[in-house]
């Protein structure tokens, strides 16, 4: 698959080229381009790392915020970026002000307030880093760099976690592998997806296995449609058709994973959990995520939220436990006190975590993020060449917006939201054929004389000047 919506840039030296020595006249521009590409790799790797620095701030957030003077030019005119920026600033300010107002009634953890407000501000900054880097490296390489940062961040799990693949290493490796094979033939992508699925199968990871099954089914469907020379309708109709196919594949994948889990294929622990959750009167989803009961109870009890870093009172703890007990879950097991309300309010839902910290602006920001992720997948389905790494990251984002902790999201947001900013409009997918795309070529890397990657389509950001653009020869079509 060839990535068709990465936008490349090339900076040329302002001096007049020398007729006597044309090679030397191009050297300053080439050197500057190499430097920019190296800086892009370093920034993207750092953005993918969530290790804590001083004052509990993460590497990714600090780098994203510090690099704004460099990366701002890449997104300053991006229409899809504007609302994200406004809501992030509004949510951050709301979280901080509510935290100050709550000090008279609640215990407020200063470190948690600082981390939450800055992580909200860092969201658009990290997206700017991805867009800036992708315009120099291409979106595929930019995603791979972020994935490598996630991998470095997850390495300590090899010693501290009994299942490091499930809790961090696997996701990072998946992003890197899917980015690496994205410009290969579909058969290679299918083999890679099968291999990753096999590892997650034996690692007790139900949701990720289902995501990979959905992506695998989509790739196989698109391969069959291309082989059958399906008469491709308009991009909008094609996207709708493929969304229906994706829904069918998704339901089939979910049912298959649940069946495999109940049969013991995913391990005895997963089997026991799935059987217990399926037999519960609350149903499989609510039994698997009893935090939703706590979230609903807290929302009804205090609709305006709490504030960043606010520690719940006994009254709030009691309300949350009562909401979980209504779903048939026993909250008297230490989980509520030690994890959900150990240092701040953790409701295992990105949108509810940000509602608790930043009220309505925080919830709206997370809903916007989910909407941008879904829109990115929909635009990608406007042709018969889906982008596997984008789908994997986008599905992970959507899951964690609703039924996953906020702390998982920041590493994936630059990839998904950055790709969403760079994508062309859905109608522009009509310029692409059903089977081949511009830029399909042997997997040659750009040479020193190549400009950075370019696109035949118009993304949501303005391209920088380029005197000699060349199509990406290794770009893909989560």
């Amino acid at each position: 698959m060839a990535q068709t919506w990465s936008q490349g840039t090339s900076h040329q030296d302002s001096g007049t080229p020398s007729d006597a020595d044309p090679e030397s006249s191009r050297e300053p521009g080439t050197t500057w381009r190499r430097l920019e590409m190296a800086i892009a790799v370093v920034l993207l790797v750092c953005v993918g790392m969530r290790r804590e620095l001083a004052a509990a701030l993460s590497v990714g957030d600090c780098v994203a915020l510090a690099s704004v003077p460099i990366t701002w030019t890449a997104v300053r005119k991006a229409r899809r970026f504007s609302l994200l920026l406004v809501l992030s600033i509004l949510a951050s300010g709301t979280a901080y002000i509510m935290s100050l107002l709550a000090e008279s009634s609640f215990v407020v953890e200063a470190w948690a307030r600082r981390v939450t407000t800055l992580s909200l501000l860092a969201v658009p900054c990290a997206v700017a880093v991805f867009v800036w880097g992708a315009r120099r490296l291409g979106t595929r390489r930019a995603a791979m760099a972020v994935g490598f940062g996630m991998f470095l961040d997850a390495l300590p799990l090899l010693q501290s976690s009994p299942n490091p693949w499930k809790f961090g290493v696997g996701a990072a490796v998946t992003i890197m592998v899917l980015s690496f094979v994205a410009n290969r033939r579909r058969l290679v992508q299918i083999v890679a997806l099968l291999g990753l699925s096999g590892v997650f199968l034996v690692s007790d990871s139900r949701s990720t296995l289902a995501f990979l099954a959905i992506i695998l089914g989509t790739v196989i469907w698109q391969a069959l449609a291309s082989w059958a020379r399906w008469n491709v309708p308009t991009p909008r109709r094609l996207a709708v058709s493929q969304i229906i196919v994706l829904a069918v594949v998704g339901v089939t994948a979910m049912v298959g994973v649940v069946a495999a889990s109940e049969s013991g294929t995913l391990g005895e622990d997963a089997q026991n959990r799935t059987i217990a959750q399926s037999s519960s009167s609350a149903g499989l989803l609510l039994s698997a995520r009893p935090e939703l009961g706590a979230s609903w109870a807290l929302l009804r009890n205090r609709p305006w939220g709490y504030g960043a870093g606010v520690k719940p009172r006994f009254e709030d703890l009691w309300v949350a436990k009562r909401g979980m007990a209504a779903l048939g879950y026993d909250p008297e097991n230490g989980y509520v006190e030690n994890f959900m309300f150990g240092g701040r309010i953790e409701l295992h839902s990105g949108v509810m975590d940000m509602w608790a910290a930043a009220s309505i602006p925080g919830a709206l920001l997370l809903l916007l993020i989910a909407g941008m992720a879904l829109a990115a997948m929909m635009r990608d389905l406007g042709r018969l060449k889906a982008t596997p790494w984008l789908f994997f990251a986008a599905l992970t984002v959507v899951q964690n917006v609703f039924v996953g902790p906020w702390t998982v999201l920041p590493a994936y947001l630059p990839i998904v939201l950055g790709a969403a900013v760079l994508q062309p409009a859905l109608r522009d997918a009509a310029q692409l054929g059903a089977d081949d795309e511009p830029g399909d070529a042997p997997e040659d890397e750009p040479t020193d004389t190549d400009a950075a990657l370019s696109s035949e389509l118009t993304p949501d950001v303005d391209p920088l000047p380029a005197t000699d653009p060349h199509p990406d020869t290794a770009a893909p079509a989560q």
Side-chain angles (χ1 to χ4, degrees):
M1 301 183 196
Q3 187 65 44
T4 62
W5 34 265
S6 55
Q7 178 65 42
T9 64
S10 176
H11 292 277
Q12 301 298 326
D13 189 73
S14 58
T16 303
S18 169
D19 294 334
D21 190 1
E23 291 298 325
S24 63
S25 69
R26 288 198 298 266
E27 185 175 350
T30 301
T31 302
W32 176 247
R33 187 165 60 250
R34 286 177 174 176
L35 178 61
E36 279 194 327
M37 294 175 71
I39 293 173
V41 170
V42 172
L43 290 178
L44 290 164
V45 170
C46 290
V47 163
M49 299 180 66
R50 309 305 303 171
R51 289 290 103 184
E52 291 185 357
L53 296 175
L57 299 176
S58 72
V59 174
D61 289 347
C62 291
V63 169
L65 290 165
S67 62
V68 168
I70 299 175
T71 60
W72 173 248
T73 57
V75 294
R76 68 180 186 272
K77 296 183 180 179
R79 294 181 299 277
R80 295 174 192 157
F81 181 80
S82 301
L83 183 57
L84 177 69
L85 176 64
V86 170
L87 276 181
S88 295
I89 295 174
L90 184 59
S92 179
T94 302
Y96 189 81
I97 292 172
M98 288 184 63
S99 178
L100 294 178
L101 295 176
E103 287 182 341
S104 60
S105 305
F106 293 84
V107 174
V108 179
E109 296 285 356
W111 67 268
R113 174 168 59 195
R114 180 173 56 249
V115 169
T116 302
T117 54
L118 289 180
S119 67
L120 287 169
L121 280 177
V123 169
C125 300
V127 174
V129 170
F130 187 91
V131 174
W132 188 87
R135 294 177 70 185
R136 285 147 181 84
L137 302 172
T139 50
R140 182 181 69 87
R141 295 180 183 87
M144 193 182 302
V146 175
F148 184 67
M150 295 168 62
F151 176 74
L152 294 179
D153 189 57
L155 284 179
L157 293 174
L158 296 175
Q159 295 181 332
S160 61
S161 173
N163 194 346
W165 182 266
K166 176 180 178 179
F167 294 111
V169 174
V173 171
T174 300
I175 292 289
M176 290 191 294
V177 170
L178 294 183
S179 300
F180 180 75
V181 303
N183 65 318
R184 271 65 178 178
R185 295 182 179 276
R186 285 193 176 99
L187 179 60
V188 177
Q189 296 176 19
I190 291 172
V191 171
L193 287 165
L194 287 173
L196 291 168
S197 299
V199 180
F200 279 105
L201 179 65
V202 298
S203 299
D204 184 24
S205 185
R206 294 177 293 180
S207 60
T208 306
L209 180 61
F211 293 164
L212 291 174
I214 291 171
I215 299 168
L216 178 62
T218 303
V219 173
I220 293 175
W221 143 255
Q222 292 183 339
L224 293 175
S226 297
W227 175 78
R229 300 293 179 182
W230 183 35
N231 184 23
V232 179
T234 64
R236 189 176 299 275
R237 290 178 58 193
L238 177 59
V240 172
S241 301
Q242 294 203 97
I243 288 172
I244 295 174
V245 173
L246 189 63
V248 173
V249 171
V251 171
T252 304
M254 294 294 183
V255 172
V257 169
V258 171
S261 182
E262 288 183 337
S263 67
T265 306
L266 302 183
E268 184 178 355
D269 185 41
Q271 182 183 32
N272 294 334
R273 292 201 316 270
T274 305
I275 292 175
Q277 292 161 1
S278 299
S279 60
S280 171
S281 59
L284 179 61
L285 176 61
L286 293 179
S287 297
R289 289 272 66 90
E291 300 91 345
L292 295 175
S295 300
W296 177 243
L298 290 173
L299 179 63
R300 294 180 62 187
N301 183 65
R302 191 180 172 91
W304 56 89
Y306 292 84
V310 171
K311 295 190 67 173
R313 302 163 299 186
F314 175 80
E315 172 193 347
D316 306 298
L317 191 65
W318 180 79
V319 169
K321 286 185 174 182
R322 187 175 62 177
M324 299 174 77
L327 298 179
Y329 178 82
D330 180 14
E332 303 297 339
N333 56 8
Y335 173 70
V336 178
E337 293 88 347
N338 298 326
F339 175 77
M340 293 180 63
F341 300 115
R344 51 181 171 175
I345 299 176
E346 298 273 3
L347 297 173
H348 213 279
S349 166
V351 65
M352 295 309 299
D353 285 347
M354 288 302 105
W355 160 79
S359 190
I360 294 176
L364 289 177
L365 173 63
L366 268 292
L367 292 177
L368 173 65
I369 288 172
M372 291 182 69
L374 292 172
M377 289 193 290
M378 184 186 72
R379 284 191 292 268
D380 206 50
L381 289 173
R383 52 202 175 92
L384 284 175
K385 291 270 189 173
T387 311
W389 55 264
L390 174 58
F391 268 64
F392 178 79
L395 289 170
T396 303
V397 165
V398 172
Q399 178 199 35
N400 285 279
V401 163
F402 296 105
V403 291
W406 161 257
T407 51
V408 174
L409 284 168
Y412 295 91
L413 295 183
I415 298 176
V416 177
L417 303 184
V421 170
L422 284 163
Q423 281 177 315
L426 180 59
R427 63 181 178 272
D428 291 327
Q431 301 179 36
L432 303 178
D435 190 45
D436 296 307
E437 297 175 302
D440 277 342
E443 300 103 28
D444 299 328
E445 297 299 321
T447 63
D448 290 342
T449 58
D450 286 332
L453 309 177
S454 66
S455 173
E456 293 190 8
L457 303 183
T458 304
D460 193 45
V461 293
D462 292 336
L464 297 181
T467 59
D468 184 26
H470 293 276
D472 185 5
T473 57
Q478 172 223 313

